[in-house]
């Protein structure tokens, strides 16, 4: 059944990471990406790995979930590794056969690249995707991009569209489910036949769905007008996002780690 | 005849949202009768409907149509959908074709019937629900709410199912539209062995049109039988949050008050559910002349 | 009588040029401040159009509706563009489909929508939201997802969303039509409560006669005209006129009326099951004691 699908990848929770201000989380995500790309040696990657593990631990997201999130990029990881192992040249030959020579630099580089990908994905997922509700995310994007509205970018309208879309996705999924049931009851068959047959079978679902979406949009517009909606000008909000101690502390930790990574890069390069 | 034998259905099995919608239910829907299924939202009555034509497969137990398991194979399940026709709530939201005629023909076309037979069935179904020839040629989206509802119902009737299942067929209609559509639909079984199942939370509708009633609560069956049998369980029905038909309510109140004041009152009259029955009984008790108000048909 | 809404020669047609069939034709009526009025009629009778005209969703083709707004401190005209914002602020509307009027994913954010649009400071929005949610009995659900609520609960959130706007009048446009009996009862209780303890003028558009019976006044609309207007008792008494317009009196009213018409010594018109039972018992008692 369609309604069993959970929306987005948000795992509700109560951890410190869940509670961080969503605006800070967006900034921290960017910061995190900078940290990952700053790491240049195995030792500095170790520092980033410790940070990422700590984030996973604090957020209480299970390791299995993290591993699952890496599955879609498995191919890219293997591809990157192979490319680096065989096409990097260096001084220390590890082994060679036929026309291929593998250098130890290549292996080292491959490991670093794969590590970078793994950390990048798992870290950003833990900070942002898994621990921030889509609503909070939209809200944060609206507030962060607010300065852009001064130069004519419709930031409020964009955010309103996003949040209405989020609000109506479950409703439309439910509706699709109902229409599918009704057409199945009239002998529609979505499961057998070739691609064209299946595509054709979708018409009796898509048309009613479109028509009902337009009707809904129309009614929603009237309801919003009745509730005095007149665009973003002069609009206040129920929730004022306010930075709290934990937001500052986590930000400081991130800055410290960036500093540590840079330090480790220069100091311990020779050791490995 | 449909038979449910120890049927359970669980939504979202092995997920945190696991919930038994139907719990070990057994009953029979007999041929040639109108069976009403009542229950409040979440009682499992809509799940029962979807189990009847194999849109849902029971988690455990069997659904038998004329003695054969409808979930035995995919093909049997598919064919069952033409024998047990379901009209869902607000069926007008499933209309999709350019003309009403084509929309009604969708089911029969899926059945693989030839063109003359499809044409015959479309005309029969349109006539049955009261859709005129001109409307058949127009777009379903230009119709009024009531006409859309009829067109959508005709789409199921055109499959000539042996059992017609109606989930809240009159929801959102005004009183005239309600009695007209229910009056027409319950004629479907006349002069044949076809049967009808009406699923509703409107007690008055179910009481008026059903020969048998199945009251559901929390995924199980609370009581079943003829309407007067079921409504004689008024205390039980009330406790499970089901509203009784208005007349049953009145007669119950009258009975209780009569007892307090020492006025004789027949206990059997407390489970009356139609205006006519109650009227006849009270007219007799009040010794009224029957010719003035007695022109009603039972 | 102090009116809150007054219509004068009000007409409306869905055809732009106004030559087509009029959905609402030449209506004059007043709604008393603080009253509870039910407008009934069959589907397509024009009752919903009247509702949409009163809260400024539709603009009259001709004629005018005047709204005496306390918050604006003057009399507003619905067809005047400068007044329309204040009209909507004074007269709130709850629609039929609960799904299509909720804007936000979280209950309290949805309720906050109108005060947010009004530019109310955050602390005050919080107060309005909390008291509106308490009024509809959903305060405990304030952080829940709107789409996981039942139909009746969604409709109560929609009502809270209107209450948070502090309107003087609320129109319910068939707001109970898509609900189950339980949801309908809950919503009807809140509607009564709004009038009784918050003093809000209530206009209920419906075709359920037992809901209309709870009002002080019923207006029966047929073909865009008001054909009956009076207290529920007066309106239910004219059961023949009602059935001509495709409406039915509640079965309790019907039963007692039938007994009355056959010559029983019984009240002519009752409004609900309680009254019907009482009337019947009284009649039985009279007969029994004779």
């Amino acid at each position: 059944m369609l309604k069993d699908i959970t929306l987005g990848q948000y795992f509700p929770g109560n951890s410190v990471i869940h509670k961080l201000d969503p605006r800070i989380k967006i900034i921290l995500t960017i910061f995190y990406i900078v940290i990952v790309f700053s790491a240049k040696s195995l030792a500095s990657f170790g520092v980033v790995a410790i940070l990422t593990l700590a984030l996973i631990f604090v957020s209480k997201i299970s390791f299995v979930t993290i591993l699952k999130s890496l599955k879609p990029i498995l191919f890219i990881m293997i591809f990157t590794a192979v490319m680096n192992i065989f096409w990097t040249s260096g001084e220390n030959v590890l082994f060679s056969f036929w026309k291929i020579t593998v250098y130890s630099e290549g292996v080292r580089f491959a490991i670093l690249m794969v590590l970078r990908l793994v950390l990048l994905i798992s870290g950003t997922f833990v900070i942002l995707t898994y621990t921030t509700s889509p609503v909070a995310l939209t809200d944060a994007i609206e507030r962060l991009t607010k300065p852009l509205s001064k130069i004519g970018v419709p930031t409020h309208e964009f955010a309103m569209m996003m949040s209405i879309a989020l609000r109506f996705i479950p409703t439309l999924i439910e509706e699709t489910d109902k229409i599918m049931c009704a057409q199945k009851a009239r002998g529609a068959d979505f499961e057998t036949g070739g691609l064209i047959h299946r595509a054709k079978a979708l018409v009796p679902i898509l048309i009613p769905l479109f028509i009902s979406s337009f009707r809904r949009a129309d009614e929603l517009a009237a309801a919003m007008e009745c509730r005095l909606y007149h665009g973003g000008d002069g609009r206040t909000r129920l929730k004022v996002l306010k930075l709290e101690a934990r937001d500052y502390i986590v930000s400081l930790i991130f800055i410290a780690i960036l500093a540590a990574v840079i330090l480790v890069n220069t100091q311990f390069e020779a050791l490995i | 005849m449909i038979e449910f034998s120890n049927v359970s259905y669980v939504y979202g099995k092995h997920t945190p949202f696991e919930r038994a919608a139907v719990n070990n239910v057994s009953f029979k829907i007999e041929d040639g009768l109108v069976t009403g299924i009542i229950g409040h939202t979440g009682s499992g009555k809509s799940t029962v409907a979807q189990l009847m034509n194999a849109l849902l497969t029971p988690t455990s137990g069997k659904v038998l149509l004329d003695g054969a398991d409808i979930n035995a194979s995919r093909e049997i399940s598919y064919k069952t959908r033409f024998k047990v026709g379901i009209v869902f709530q607000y069926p007008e939201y499933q209309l999709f074709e350019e003309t009403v005629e084509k929309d009604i023909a969708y089911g029969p076309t899926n059945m693989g019937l030839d063109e003359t037979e499809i044409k015959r069935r479309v005309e029969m179904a349109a006539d049955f629900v009261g859709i005129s020839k001109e409307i058949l040629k127009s777009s379903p989206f230009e119709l009024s709410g009531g006409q859309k509802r009829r067109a959508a119902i005709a789409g199921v009737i055109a499959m000539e199912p042996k059992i017609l299942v109606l989930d809240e067929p009159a929801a959102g209609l005004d009183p005239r539209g309600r009695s007209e559509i229910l009056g027409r639909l319950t004629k479907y079984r006349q002069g044949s062995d076809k049967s009808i199942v009406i699923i509703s939370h409107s007690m008055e509708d179910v009481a008026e049109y059903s020969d048998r009633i199945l009251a559901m609560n929390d995924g199980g069956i609370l009581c079943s039988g003829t309407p007067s049998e079921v409504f004689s369980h008024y205390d039980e029905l009330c406790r499970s949050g089901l509203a009784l038909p208005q007349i049953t309510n009145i007669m119950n109140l009258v009975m209780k008050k009569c007892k307090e004041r020492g006025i004789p009152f027949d206990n059997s009259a407390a489970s009356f559910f139609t205006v006519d029955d109650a009227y006849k009984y009270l007219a007799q008790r009040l010794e009224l002349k029957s010719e003035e108000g007695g022109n009603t048909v039972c | 009588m102090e009116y809150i809404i007054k219509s004068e020669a009000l007409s409306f047609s869905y055809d732009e040029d106004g030559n087509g069939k009029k959905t609402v034709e030449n209506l004059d009526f007043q709604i008393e401040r603080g009253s509870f009025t039910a407008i009934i009629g069959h589907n397509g009778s024009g009752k919903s159009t009247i509702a949409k005209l009163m809260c400024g969703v539709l603009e009259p083709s001709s004629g005018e509706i005047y709204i005496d707004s306390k918050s604006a401190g003057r009399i507003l005209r619905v067809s005047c563009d400068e007044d329309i914002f204040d009209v909507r602020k004074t007269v709130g509307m709850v629609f039929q489909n609960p799904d299509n009027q909720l804007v936000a994913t979280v209950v309290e954010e949805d309720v906050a929508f109108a005060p947010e649009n009004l530019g109310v400071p955050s602390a005050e929005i919080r107060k309005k939201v909390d008291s509106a949610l308490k009024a509809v009995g959903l305060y405990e659900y304030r952080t829940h997802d709107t789409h996981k609520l039942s139909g009746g609960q969604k409709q109560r959130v929609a009502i809270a969303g209107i209450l948070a706007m502090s309107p003087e009048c609320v129109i319910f446009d068939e707001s109970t039509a898509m609900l189950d009996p339980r949801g309908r009862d809950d919503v009807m209780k809140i509607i009564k409560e709004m009038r009784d303890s918050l003093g809000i003028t209530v206009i209920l558009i419906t075709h359920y006669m037992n809901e209309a019976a709870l009002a002080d006044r019923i207006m029966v609309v047929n073909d865009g005209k008001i054909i009956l207007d009076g207290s529920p008792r007066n309106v239910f008494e004219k059961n023949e006129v009602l059935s001509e317009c495709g409406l039915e009196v509640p079965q309790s009213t019907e039963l007692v009326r039938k007994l009355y018409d056959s010559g029983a010594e019984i009240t002519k018109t009752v409004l609900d099951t309680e009254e019907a039972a009482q009337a019947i018992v009284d009649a039985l008692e009279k007969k029994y004691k004779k």
Side-chain angles (χ1 to χ4, degrees), chain C residues 32-51:
Chain C
E32 195 181 342
R33 187 179 286 282
S35 65
F36 178 0
T37 308
I39 301 181
I40 59 174
H42 62 82
N43 287 348
S45 60
K47 60 186 192 302
S48 280
T49 309
I50 298 175

Side-chain angles (χ1 to χ4, degrees), chain B residues 40-41 90 172-174 176 201 204 246-247 250 253 257 261-264 276 279 286-288 292-293 296, chain C residues 42-43 178 180-182 207 243-244 246 251-252 255 258-259 261-262 264 277-278 281-283 285 287-288:
Chain B
H40 53 75
T41 313
Y90 299 100
L173 298 180
D174 57 21
R176 184 181 285 172
H201 44 228
E204 282 83 10
Q246 272 187 44
I247 297 297
I250 295 174
L253 280 171
K257 286 185 181 184
R261 299 193 197 175
I263 308 165
D276 289 339
Y279 169 77
L286 294 167
E287 292 162 26
L288 304 176
E292 276 171 273
T296 44
Chain C
H42 62 82
N43 287 348
M178 296 181 81
D180 60 7
R182 205 179 266 180
H207 50 232
S243 68
E244 270 166 38
Q251 287 184 338
S252 42
L255 174 63
K258 258 184 152 175
L259 292 167
D261 285 347
S262 317
Q278 194 59 49
V281 174
D282 289 346
E285 193 169 35
K287 194 87 205 168
Y288 181 65

Side-chain angles (χ1 to χ4, degrees), chain A residues 135 139 160 163-164 166-168 170-171 174 212 215-217 219-231 233-240, chain C residues 55 57 85 88-89 93 95 97 99-105 108-120 122 125-126 146-147 161-162 165:
Chain A
V135 180
D139 205 25
M160 185 52 88
S163 65
I164 287 174
L166 289 171
R167 149 75 188 83
F168 274 90
T171 310
E174 216 179 287
S212 98
R215 197 193 62 244
R216 283 180 195 283
E219 283 183 39
L220 182 71
M224 283 171 74
E225 278 193 343
C226 277
R227 289 165 74 185
L228 311 171
Y229 182 67
H230 55 96
D233 295 337
R235 218 172 115 78
T236 47
R237 299 303 298 268
L238 167 69
K239 279 186 190 143
V240 193
Chain C
C55 68
V57 172
F85 191 80
R88 289 178 182 153
K89 201 177 151 222
M93 171 116 140
F95 292 79
N97 190 332
D99 271 321
N100 298 354
Q101 51 186 322
L102 299 182
V103 186
T105 319
E108 60 179 8
E109 302 237 350
D110 188 81
V111 177
F113 188 67
E116 284 179 342
N117 289 330
L118 278 167
V120 174
S122 298
I125 297 180
R126 172 55 66 190
T146 45
H147 85 268
I162 296 295
M165 193 168 81

